[in-house]
Amino acid sequence: MATVNTVSDALDPTNAARGTLKLENTEKRDTLIAIEKRYQKSWQESGVFNASAPSTSEIPLGTITPQELHKKHPKYFGTFAFPYMNGTLHAGHSFTASKNEYGAGFARLQGKRVLFPLGFHCTGMPIKACADKLTDDVRKFGRYFERYEDEQADGEEALPAPTQAETKEDITKFTSKKSKAAAKGVKLKYQFQIMLALGIPREEIHKFADAKYWLEYFPPLCKRDLNNFGARMDWRRSFVTTDANPYYDTFVRWQMHRLKELDKIQYGSRYTIYSPKDGQPCMDHDRTEGEGVAPQEYTALKLKVKEWSPGASKILQGKLPDSANVFFVPATLRPETMYGQTCCFVGPKINYGVFKVSEQEYYVITKRAAWNMAFQGTFFDNSQFPRDASELNPVAELTGASLVGTLVNAPLSVHKEGVRILPMDTVSPTKGTGVVTSVPSDSPDDYATVTDLAKKADYYGIKREWAELEIVPIVETPSYGNLAAPFLVKKMKINSPKDTKQLAEAKDLAYKEGYYKGTMIIGDFKGEAVEVAKPKVKAQLIQNGDAFEYAEPNGHVVSRSADECVVAYLGQWFLNYGENDPGWRDQVLEYVKNDMETFSSETQNSLEKNLEWLNRWACARTYGLGSKLPWEPKFLVESLSDSTIYMSYYTIAHFLHSDNFGTQPGLFQVKPEQMIDEVWDYIFCRRDISQDLLKSSGISKADLEAMRREFEYWYPLDIRISGKDLLPNHLTFFLYIHLALFPPDFWPRSIRANGHLMLNGEKMSKSTGNFLTLNDAVTKYGADATRIALADAGDGVEDANFEETVANQIILRMHTLKEWCEETIRDPSLRTSSSDDDKNLWDRLFENEMHTLVHAAYAQYEATDYKVALKSSLYDFTSTRDFYREALAAAAIPMHASLVRKYISLQALLISPIAPHWADYIWQEILGERDTIQNARWPEVPTADPSLTAAYTYIRTTTSAITSAEGAQVRKKSKGKTTSYDPEAPKRLTIYAANAFPAWQERYIELVRSFHEKASLEDKALNAEVGRMGEGKKAMPFVQGLKRRIQGGEPARDVFERKLAFEEVE
């Protein structure tokens, strides 16, 4: 038996990183970290990141519009999604944060006032659920868990409470490679074990049984880690969510009041994902599995039993009243095709139950389906939902095989004498009801199955004629005729129900063609488009008592309390997103399409898609932490609904309180009860000031005006940065609520989504030891090396990769570069002169290339392409220096002192958004600047000289060609091949320059000239014409070179007249 001490050892949090890179010599790293700590302390003490709007004493409120204020005093307000406070930050958090870090640093260099705040999200179920589990642990094992023994060493897999650090597909299980804990037989069944794995001292764990303690414990650690990362944050504006902060609580209540007044929050019955155990809806952030899963609505048909199969009759004897009406209940998405039912399928190996609906009515379905129906008014009243599946028991249980042969009446089917229950091996017990009605005219799966059943009737133990009922046409389609399924099965050469890949493709084709282009050719709605007829057929079936509505999750959902969720139909408060408020939806959609920057087509398309399908969203619950719903306090505001516009709260938080909880006053002596709804309306530019407002709030006019100024200056939000996983929920809600509550001038300007972060090319996972917290990374590599490696990881919405070898190499690179700057700037042998005329060709080439990279880096930072900006700002910049240094060394010429200083200055400025500590050290301690580089400006340099750029490229290309040729000869000789080249002999090099270009190039010169004269060098058209001319392999690089020269600023005349921008022989 493992004791709690053994468990503590096994769950050492360092095990999570056991598979990561091990560092040996850390002297250089330690030197850089010492510099980082010095500058972090200086920044915090000086408050350099604390930003404020121009005061009303400088510029009185109302004397200038917000737009004019922004023009006179440019600003940058960027945020990333505030982290949830049930753990420390991991490297994935820092990846998202880093994007705003780099943007904030660049904005400072542009001379903008920069605001980068951060709050702490505590709303919802996770903290409360974990605290309640700890309460149970303490009760069971004692205050320090001293009575614990690992009674489950050989039992089932653990059910750990989730933490934000977990990134597994199934967060409830530790699988994959065995960890040290697993090897010792320790299963993370209990919450106290999770806390040990997080690094919480055993003596402190019992304190977390109080949910409020989580709010006190983790925010300071988050702040510590980000300060150690060098984050440019204004911590004066921090807060925790929930009613633990009474100021934020008034903000949330104002928000809910106004949305309800606008009819954006409504009450009604609707389908929602629901946790029976928790007794409340289970929204995205309440789940450990199934984020994004929504209710799937079906039409549940009632196929009345006319005659039982012998096997079923025997099992059911005496268990049902003689007068009972028993129905098989298949769930369909295509009620309009029910005229063509020829049979009904069950899975022969699936267990079914006969469930009592009333004294005279029973349903044959799987228990899973019955459990879902129990929350939709079928077996239980909506006011008394069950909490446990034991409350729902069937009157009888049967296998699907025993049901085969049963005769049932199929509503709307042309086969009025009835259809048979037949076997289908591919019926899923975890989708629908486990009963599948068959329409072989329009379903390729059904057609393939009935064909197979008819061929092998004896094998399946059925009568052949049961599978050979007439297949009647239901829907006419332009592409596949009126029997789409048989057409596609034959066309795609599908031979059996086992051809699952082709059947899935055929099903998709049949459904889309039938729904969007089909016309009904049978029934009461004959002649109508399927899209129009479908809801009418459904309504008719329900009205006649032959069907009812049914819904279930369209994927597996597990709540934070480890409960498998269902779909419930219940009354609830919801935000009226989607098709039920088309004006609101279309307003947001138009804004996304036409006015908002998304930086990538993937983000743009995702937002548009989300807006098209997103529907009503439950915004209240009864369990967890949060603010109470103002008009019905028994409910709490849901975690994704209290965090849509909190960015606006950042603008004035420091006026209200100076601590996270609002217990210490801020810059103004304003109490929470003074922050009435009308005050928030005024601050957010929704109303004007009045004597009534001043009287009812008791807040001075000067304070109100100061808060409004702060809001109208910092808003709109310039950029919202988030992981791509928040696009379907938070980021879409964020847009909806901003557009509903704020005037158009204050709508968000941009959203930038990034992918998830892998570590060393693999998914981060504690169980495999491939995991780093932010604190781990910064401790291991230092802040700047971590920041550079994050910038190098990638920028798009595809998953990025933090490579530890890169971070380790960066330590050496930055330390070496630091030493070079320190030594070289003091080198007495450097050339000095006061005139540019004294600069030689190498000097001019070096300076010109630095100018080129300064302009390139500016454009890349502005476009938020940080990986490319890093290349220009560090790798290419040092490469240019190396070329200059080596060229002059070969010629025995010292470097120019002014250019060395210029290089060091530009290097510090260009890399400062990404590596600010290193840059500030260079700026202040090597260059001797008096103020921090955080207050410096982007360097102003001349536009690059195209002739020098061309000469530089020519020289580097030629040098590379010579080196490559020499290397090829060395390799040839090393392999024993005959060559006249002797690497030991003195070398002489002759370079030949041609007097004329090849004749074939003239045709392509004229082609590019013609496109240029049309002001169009668009790749697609130009490349197509090059391909048509038939010499693409050699012509394409030539044409692209001409394009680059023109786009790089060379005069078109020089390019087309075939003149080099420099004298080649010279």
Side-chain angles (χ1 to χ4, degrees), residues 220-231:
L221 297 183
C222 176
K223 181 178 178 179
R224 175 205 68 187
D225 293 348
L226 286 166
N227 280 339
N228 291 340
F229 185 61

Side-chain angles (χ1 to χ4, degrees), residues 610-817:
N610 296 335
L611 287 164
E612 287 166 359
W613 70 258
L614 180 68
N615 213 321
R616 294 168 170 171
W617 186 268
C619 61
R621 64 231 319 74
T622 57
Y623 177 79
L625 304 180
S627 294
K628 293 180 173 62
L629 200 63
W631 56 89
E632 198 164 355
K634 70 178 182 179
F635 291 113
L636 298 171
V637 179
E638 179 263 339
S639 63
L640 280 168
S641 301
D642 85 333
S643 56
T644 54
I645 58 168
Y646 65 86
M647 314 85 203
S648 61
Y649 187 81
Y650 284 137
T651 64
I652 51 85
H654 61 306
F655 290 128
L656 304 179
H657 51 84
S658 58
D659 69 325
N660 290 335
F661 295 91
T663 60
Q664 301 297 320
L667 297 177
F668 299 157
Q669 299 297 315
V670 175
K671 297 178 181 178
E673 56 267 24
Q674 293 178 276
M675 297 301 294
I676 58 178
D677 287 351
E678 291 74 18
V679 167
W680 291 110
D681 286 337
Y682 174 73
I683 292 171
F684 296 144
C685 301
R686 292 167 50 89
R687 61 163 290 166
D688 293 328
I689 204 162
S690 68
Q691 288 301 316
D692 286 344
L693 177 60
L694 294 173
K695 184 178 179 181
S696 59
S697 70
I699 303 174
S700 71
K701 182 179 180 182
D703 287 354
L704 286 170
E705 288 185 342
M707 287 192 282
R708 179 156 175 163
R709 162 57 55 80
E710 199 80 6
F711 168 76
E712 69 177 15
Y713 176 70
W714 291 116
Y715 251 58
L717 186 65
D718 293 289
I719 190 167
R720 178 66 171 168
I721 296 173
S722 172
K724 63 183 178 183
D725 54 306
L726 295 186
L727 283 167
N729 42 59
H730 164 70
L731 290 173
T732 305
F733 303 168
F734 157 82
L735 291 171
Y736 260 115
I737 306 304
H738 268 87
L739 268 64
L741 292 181
F742 296 118
D745 287 342
F746 302 111
W747 293 352
R749 286 180 175 166
S750 68
I751 286 176
R752 189 190 191 284
N754 55 259
H756 303 301
L757 186 69
M758 295 189 295
L759 179 60
N760 302 322
E762 297 181 0
K763 185 177 179 181
M764 279 202 290
S765 168
K766 286 183 175 181
S767 63
T768 62
N770 191 51
F771 188 84
L772 285 178
T773 65
L774 174 55
N775 186 54
D776 291 338
V778 171
T779 301
K780 191 172 187 177
Y781 299 109
D784 283 340
T786 299
R787 293 167 69 108
I788 292 172
L790 287 169
D792 192 68
D795 282 313
V797 295
E798 66 277 2
D799 289 348
N801 181 37
F802 182 92
E803 194 64 56
E804 287 192 277
T805 54
V806 171
N808 196 29
Q809 290 162 6
I810 287 296
I811 294 171
L812 177 61
R813 176 185 284 270
M814 302 310 288
H815 188 273
T816 302
L817 185 55

Side-chain angles (χ1 to χ4, degrees), residues 905-955:
S905 174
L906 292 177
Q907 178 65 91
L909 289 167
L910 265 62
I911 199 61
S912 65
I914 297 174
H917 311 84
W918 186 93
D920 215 354
Y921 170 80
I922 299 297
W923 188 251
Q924 294 192 62
E925 300 189 37
I926 294 180
L927 295 173
E929 298 290 348
R930 294 185 177 182
D931 195 11
T932 172
I933 202 169
Q934 301 284 5
N935 293 328
R937 296 292 176 264
W938 187 266
E940 293 185 9
V941 298
T943 302
D945 183 334
S947 64
L948 289 173
T949 301
Y952 179 81
T953 303
Y954 174 84
I955 292 171

